[in-house]
Amino acid sequence: MIIQFLLGLVLASIIEWTVHKHILHELGKKKVSIFSFHWGLHHVQARKNNFYDPKISGREVIGVLSLCLLALPIIYILPFTYYALLLHSMLYFVVHNLSHKYPNFAKRFVPWHYDHHMGKNQNTNWCVVHPLADYIFKTRSKNEY
């Protein structure tokens, strides 16, 4: 049970890292992509407003829910892994939105995500909930302000 849950947390961090890096950024930088809102709107707003972006994206809600549904079959084999994925998804949504509504909160408690938006290199620090996958893939970079 504990091993399944831990596996889910690791898997969730890797999924978050992969989606953020390859889908929201690589595909999102293409103007004709359905993911261009991330780079073209969210990053521009956060950068322009010192990390502040209070708008909750409907696409973000749909994306998180879609990934939860896509992973649903895991519940039949590794139920606690799925519960961890679900928990991580909820935390992602809450942490991401709170961070952008309260930049000082993010700077203090979610510095890896703050660094992603406000650091010199926005192609690092892909994780939001916790930086596990960034450490695994060596993409965590700390910035000083």
Side-chain angles (χ1 to χ4, degrees):
M1 174 168 50
I2 292 172
I3 292 174
Q4 276 189 39
F5 195 81
L6 291 174
L7 173 65
L9 293 178
V10 172
L11 185 58
S13 186
I14 291 170
I15 291 168
E16 178 186 346
W17 185 94
T18 302
V19 168
H20 194 175
K21 182 180 188 313
H22 296 292
I23 295 176
L24 296 178
H25 275 249
E26 288 174 15
L27 293 178
K29 286 181 182 176
K30 297 178 181 178
K31 292 183 194 253
V32 294
S33 168
I34 63 168
F35 304 106
S36 63
F37 72 94
H38 180 77
W39 184 255
L41 296 175
H42 177 58
H43 270 264
V44 169
Q45 274 295 88
R47 196 73 166 188
K48 186 171 80 173
N49 297 316
N50 200 28
F51 197 76
Y52 181 72
D53 182 9
K55 183 181 173 199
I56 295 175
S57 169
R59 293 179 187 181
E60 183 179 40
V61 173
I62 291 168
V64 170
L65 290 174
S66 297
L67 286 171
C68 290
L69 286 173
L70 189 63
L72 188 59
I74 293 171
I75 201 168
Y76 297 109
I77 303 164
L78 301 165
F80 290 97
T81 298
Y82 184 75
Y83 301 147
L85 290 169
L86 208 55
L87 174 64
H88 190 279
S89 297
M90 289 184 278
L91 285 172
Y92 168 84
F93 189 76
V94 170
V95 168
H96 188 240
N97 285 287
L98 277 178
S99 294
H100 285 288
K101 284 183 181 156
Y102 304 101
N104 288 331
F105 166 84
K107 197 171 186 179
R108 182 170 181 187
F109 296 107
V110 196
W112 48 89
H113 188 56
Y114 189 89
D115 289 345
H116 172 69
H117 283 276
M118 304 310 293
K120 290 179 183 175
N121 184 358
Q122 293 185 39
N123 292 311
T124 59
N125 303 308
W126 302 106
C127 297
V128 173
V129 178
H130 52 80
L132 179 63
D134 279 316
Y135 284 116
I136 291 170
F137 297 119
K138 297 179 179 13
T139 54
R140 172 72 177 114
S141 65
K142 296 177 182 177
N143 295 296
E144 293 185 18
Y145 305 97

